[in-house]
Amino acid sequence: MPDDPAPVLTVHLRTVPEAAVVAAEGDLDLGTAPVLRSGARAALAGEPGALIVDLGGVTFCGSAGLQVIAEVVAAAEAAGLPFAVVAAGRPVLRALQITQLDETLALHRTIDGARAWIRERAA
């Protein structure tokens, strides 16, 4: 029986007028959480005006992924940056709800919603 392939997570960085966006796709678990951590750190190093982490393409979110999200929240707060998470899929939403992280961060279903929230904060 062949071994299951290792989980894969890809992270893409881009900027929109309101923020740096870190978009992740794939499984977010112990083996792949460092990929998201690295992407978020790279985005923060660019000193953006705000940060959006887009987890819309995440198909699984384990405790290590939640830990990275909590780390990014703390880093954004320390830098005084607005921080939003985009998630619409059940794997991420359920993990955020179970841990009650959904109550402590700005959670949006779309990038446009997160961008609008950032614009409102700046006004």
Side-chain angles (χ1 to χ4, degrees):
M1 176 166 21
D3 291 332
D4 289 332
V8 175
L9 183 77
T10 58
V11 172
H12 303 282
L13 304 177
R14 68 183 175 107
T15 57
V16 294
E18 300 83 4
V21 179
V22 180
E25 295 180 9
D27 291 347
L28 182 52
D29 61 13
L30 183 62
T32 62
V35 177
L36 180 59
R37 182 179 290 115
S38 176
R41 285 181 179 165
L44 288 169
E47 299 181 1
L51 181 65
I52 298 171
V53 173
D54 180 2
L55 303 176
V58 171
T59 53
F60 173 81
C61 185
S63 61
L66 295 171
Q67 175 63 36
V68 171
I69 294 166
E71 290 171 14
V72 176
V73 168
E77 286 179 355
L81 298 177
F83 173 72
V85 172
V86 174
R90 181 163 171 74
V92 175
L93 289 176
R94 187 70 182 133
L96 292 173
Q97 291 166 345
I98 289 170
T99 58
Q100 298 181 340
L101 277 172
D102 64 323
E103 297 176 11
T104 64
L105 49 82
L107 183 61
H108 303 274
R109 292 198 170 268
T110 65
I111 289 283
D112 288 340
R115 292 176 66 186
W117 176 79
I118 291 168
R119 284 191 303 272
E120 288 172 12
R121 289 181 54 92

